[in-house]
Amino acid sequence: MFELSQTFTFDAAHTLKRHVSPEEAASSRRIHGHTYTAEVAVRGPRQPDTGMVVDLAVLRAALAEVRSQLDHHFLDEVAGLGTPTLENLCVFIFDQMSARIPQVSAVSVSRAAGDRCVYRPQA
């Protein structure tokens, strides 16, 4: 069994309603942005005819399609995303990617501040 992964970055703005200190809640409610890094992993055996789990060109093309839905967008308005949390970004990217490439096994999304979320759905 093999696992390959590919990363991509995107810049996006959002708002977020939080239940924390008034100072933190106020800054999150304002429109603000982040640079995100997403990593998509695919898992499976090598295909006998190609020797690959997934052709990386196919993986990159699917990632580019998903990236185009997020990069330089206002995440609050991305259809199907819901509240723009790291968790929901992981699920959104997973759902978009697995519709194109069924071998997707995990998605992680991180920000430069050190925050990271990993989504591995139950098999």
Side-chain angles (χ1 to χ4, degrees):
M1 198 60 66
F2 293 88
E3 185 172 272
L4 300 172
S5 66
Q6 182 72 41
T7 62
F8 68 96
T9 60
F10 62 97
D11 296 300
H14 71 107
T15 63
L16 193 60
K17 292 180 183 153
R18 298 173 65 199
H19 302 287
V20 293
S21 70
E23 298 80 23
E24 284 190 74
S27 66
S28 292
R29 276 194 287 267
R30 289 192 301 269
I31 295 174
H32 63 283
H34 304 282
T35 297
Y36 296 91
T37 299
E39 180 177 15
V40 176
V42 295
R43 188 171 194 269
R46 289 177 294 173
Q47 299 302 308
D49 57 332
T50 64
M52 297 181 266
V53 176
V54 172
D55 187 315
L56 288 176
V58 172
L59 180 59
R60 287 186 194 108
L63 289 172
E65 290 177 33
V66 174
R67 183 180 184 269
S68 72
Q69 296 177 61
L70 301 170
D71 192 39
H72 289 88
H73 285 271
F74 184 49
L75 296 179
D76 298 52
E77 297 174 350
V78 173
L81 176 59
T83 304
T85 61
L86 290 174
E87 295 87 347
N88 284 345
L89 282 165
C90 283
V91 171
F92 177 83
I93 293 168
F94 180 89
D95 289 346
Q96 295 291 311
M97 287 298 299
S98 63
R100 294 165 171 84
I101 299 177
Q103 299 96 322
V104 173
S105 59
V107 170
S108 69
V109 177
S110 59
R111 301 183 312 185
D115 308 314
R116 180 172 182 250
C117 180
V118 179
Y119 177 59
R120 288 184 189 92
Q122 299 289 40

